[in-house]
Amino acid sequence: MTRKQITCICLGSWLLVGLLAAGIATHAGYIHAIDAPIVATVTRFRPAWLTAVLLMVTRFGNPPIVTGITVVLTLVFLARRHWYSAGRLALTVSLGSALNRLLKALFNRPRPFIADSSITPLVPAGGWSFPSGHANGTTLLYGTLIVLLWHAPIARRTKLWGTVIGVAVILATGYSRIYVQVHYPTDVLAGWLAGVGVIALAWLVSGRTD
């Protein structure tokens, strides 16, 4: 990708995060218009087998697990003397996660089950709702790995399969957070977008845009 394309992705991602944040801060109608139909659709179909799968998926996206995977992979990169990959992964995930916590503290959006006592979440969750830490963390981790994968001297088929798996994990994790009713869809969308924005910014700062 060219530097111009990456810049557009970065700015576009943060522009959309800003629109979502502004809507939440002002209680704009478009936020409810996005959230309500998606929540209704996601929670309408909840068979036992799907619940079991998504509970596993959502736990796999817990921040301590994402942090642990990041640390292990960073150490692997360092052991193999892949200094750039180690630094890129560690800095992107850590800085992106810190920014996500800052956004949570700034907007103080209550979780769905706090705002509506009739909702019973399927997993415990504390803190604020916007943006989703699970959606953000998995995007930062697996999104960065996808970028590094495409810069690696390996077969194109491997790169494609790695990308498919990474994107699937990111999407499934975000879906699971809506399914277990601890996040609104706009929380998840903002988490994804913020993750993409940080990855694109790191890509630009690194100077590697080929």
Side-chain angles (χ1 to χ4, degrees), residues 91-105:
L91 287 174
T92 301
V93 175
S94 58
L95 292 177
S97 298
L99 181 58
N100 191 79
R101 289 193 293 272
L102 176 61
L103 291 173
K104 281 181 178 286

Side-chain angles (χ1 to χ4, degrees), residues 22-72:
I24 288 168
T26 60
H27 304 285
Y30 64 84
I31 297 297
H32 179 73
I34 295 172
D35 286 336
I38 296 176
V39 170
T41 301
V42 170
T43 57
R44 185 178 297 124
F45 180 69
R46 302 176 83 182
W49 67 267
L50 182 58
T51 298
V53 170
L54 291 179
L55 284 175
M56 181 176 62
V57 168
T58 206
R59 291 186 184 114
F60 189 69
N62 285 343
I65 293 180
V66 170
T67 299
I69 294 173
T70 302
V71 170
V72 169

Side-chain angles (χ1 to χ4, degrees), residues 149 151-155 159:
L149 188 66
H151 283 84
I154 56 178
K159 295 178 181 181

